[in-house]
Amino acid sequence: MDLPQDDNILISVINTKLRNNYVDLDDLCLAEGYDYGKLCSRMASLGYCYDEKENAFKKSDIPHP
């Protein structure tokens, strides 16, 4: 499945799916057909990293290029 191209929509869609439907990021990627590495890389390029405790992508304190 293709990821949304708009950055804000991507963050919103992924976090909503994680919150409402999936126990963790692995579960989401497997069920939705997302490439785990590509999703994490794209989110990192936007300044977000996956927080396992919150089961959501959160704004990272570490700057990304």
Side-chain angles (χ1 to χ4, degrees):
M1 177 175 225
D2 290 332
L3 296 171
Q5 295 303 308
D6 182 272
D7 297 339
N8 293 317
I9 293 173
L10 172 68
I11 295 161
S12 178
V13 165
I14 295 299
N15 278 338
T16 299
K17 286 183 178 194
L18 284 167
R19 180 183 66 241
N20 294 338
N21 301 21
Y22 300 104
V23 296
D24 60 24
L25 185 57
D26 288 322
D27 190 28
L28 174 131
C29 288
L30 183 63
E32 298 283 338
Y34 298 144
D35 181 285
Y36 184 96
K38 287 182 183 179
L39 176 58
C40 288
S41 292
R42 174 121 181 253
M43 296 298 268
S45 75
L46 302 174
Y48 286 80
C49 62
Y50 180 65
D51 181 326
E52 291 180 19
K53 282 178 54 176
E54 298 290 326
N55 191 31
F57 280 91
K58 301 289 185 171
K59 194 73 169 162
S60 176
D61 294 335
I62 301 168
H64 294 278

